[in-house]
Amino acid sequence: MKILRTNSENTDFINLVKQLDAYLKITDGDEHAFYNQFNHIDVLKNVVVFYLDNLAIGCGAIKKFDSSSMEIKRMFVAKEQRNKGIAQKIVTELEVWTKELGYKKCVLETGKRQVEAVKFYHKCGYKVIPNYGQYADMENSVCFEKAL
């Protein structure tokens, strides 16, 4: 297995994000169009792709949120590869990269309907915070942060 630091032009990342979007279209339902407008990958300069036997099976990204924080975006692990610690390795790599870039914390948003994701971020030490920015009035959103 290996973790590659790259950017949003990486073909494997693009293909994984397509799988993520297909999943979110189902779980977000009528709200998918709202959330999707904030998920353009062309703005992501710091991308991680996780490979197992040279096959891309997971990804995540960070982007500047404010002067002290990076926002975790586009976290995904292929369904058949879940519950094997891969997401934890991706988040850890994103947190390390965040610190290397001089930022002090990570923030993120996920949907309440993504029950596994909510549990996962709690397990990783993320704390629920008030919904920020575009998610402030979204009933389905839950926002998190973690000081690094």
Side-chain angles (χ1 to χ4, degrees):
M1 67 180 149
K2 79 171 186 176
I3 296 179
L4 173 69
R5 288 184 180 185
T6 185
N7 61 42
S8 62
E9 295 174 6
N10 178 285
T11 305
D12 291 327
F13 175 68
I14 293 167
N15 290 331
L16 287 165
V17 166
K18 287 177 185 174
Q19 293 175 50
L20 170 61
D21 286 338
Y23 167 75
L24 292 176
K25 190 171 186 176
I26 295 166
T27 59
D28 290 341
D30 293 340
E31 296 169 329
H32 182 69
F34 171 81
Y35 289 110
N36 202 42
Q37 69 182 317
F38 303 111
N39 289 325
H40 298 288
I41 63 171
D42 59 331
V43 298
L44 301 175
K45 308 296 181 223
N46 304 89
V47 168
V48 167
V49 179
F50 187 94
Y51 292 88
L52 184 62
D53 298 327
N54 293 320
L55 181 67
I57 59 168
C59 64
I62 49 175
K63 75 173 197 173
K64 183 178 178 177
F65 180 73
D66 62 28
S67 62
S68 64
S69 311
M70 292 292 264
E71 184 178 23
I72 294 179
K73 303 291 288 178
R74 313 314 289 166
M75 275 291 299
F76 180 74
V77 174
K79 188 173 183 174
E80 62 279 1
Q81 299 295 336
R82 294 182 186 159
N83 299 310
K84 297 179 180 178
I86 295 164
Q88 177 66 62
K89 289 179 183 351
I90 293 169
V91 165
T92 298
E93 184 68 17
L94 293 172
E95 291 170 353
V96 167
W97 204 354
T98 294
K99 288 193 287 190
E100 287 174 5
L101 293 169
Y103 294 88
K104 306 287 186 222
K105 66 181 174 180
C106 287
V107 299
L108 63 94
E109 179 275 343
T110 193
K112 290 179 182 175
R113 293 182 207 111
Q114 282 87 45
V115 177
E116 304 90 356
V118 172
K119 277 195 210 171
F120 170 73
Y121 290 119
H122 279 294
K123 186 176 127 186
C124 290
Y126 283 77
K127 306 291 184 221
V128 175
I129 59 172
N131 287 359
Y132 56 80
Q134 64 267 27
Y135 309 114
D137 296 324
M138 294 304 293
E139 289 281 323
N140 180 50
S141 289
V142 58
C143 294
F144 290 90
E145 78 174 11
K146 180 179 179 181
L148 307 174

